Amino acid sequence: MHLVLDVMDKEPSLRVIWGGAVALGLIGYAAVRFRRWLVLPALAVIAIAVWTQLGDLFDPRVGAAIMRDAGLWYVGQACAAAALAVIVCLLGLAPKHAA
């Protein structure tokens, strides 16, 4: 008899993933606009958050179970949210316009 485990009840929902990505991106953007050197700590925080929330996708067994339960859509959305957080943070490096 095989033990069937539902892995998606332990994974964050897409709403939580997108909300966290937007929040981290905007906080990183504000920090980088304040001091340019804060881009490195902001990107490090984003990387740690992405790894802790989505690190299970890279596990051979758990990742396969997530793909089976949630599908490719969940993985694509999670990666797109992580990319959004990085892009919004890096937008803070754009030069400020003189008024």
Side-chain angles (χ1 to χ4, degrees):
M1 180 169 84
H2 292 289
L3 180 63
V4 177
L5 299 175
D6 187 22
V7 296
M8 289 312 296
D9 62 344
K10 297 168 192 70
E11 295 299 317
S13 68
L14 284 176
R15 185 175 300 185
V16 170
I17 291 172
W18 277 105
V22 169
L24 284 174
L26 291 175
I27 291 169
Y29 177 85
V32 171
R33 292 305 275 181
F34 179 67
R35 296 280 184 247
R36 294 177 67 83
W37 62 268
L38 288 174
V39 69
L40 294 177
L43 289 175
V45 168
I46 291 171
I48 290 169
V50 167
W51 183 256
T52 57
Q53 292 298 315
L54 303 176
D56 289 339
L57 291 173
F58 300 111
D59 184 89
R61 290 190 176 152
V62 177
I66 291 171
M67 288 291 292
R68 185 175 52 253
D69 288 351
L72 188 58
W73 179 253
Y74 180 84
V75 177
Q77 290 286 312
C79 292
L84 175 75
V86 171
I87 290 168
V88 170
C89 181
L90 291 177
L91 283 176
L93 292 174
K96 296 177 184 175
H97 290 86

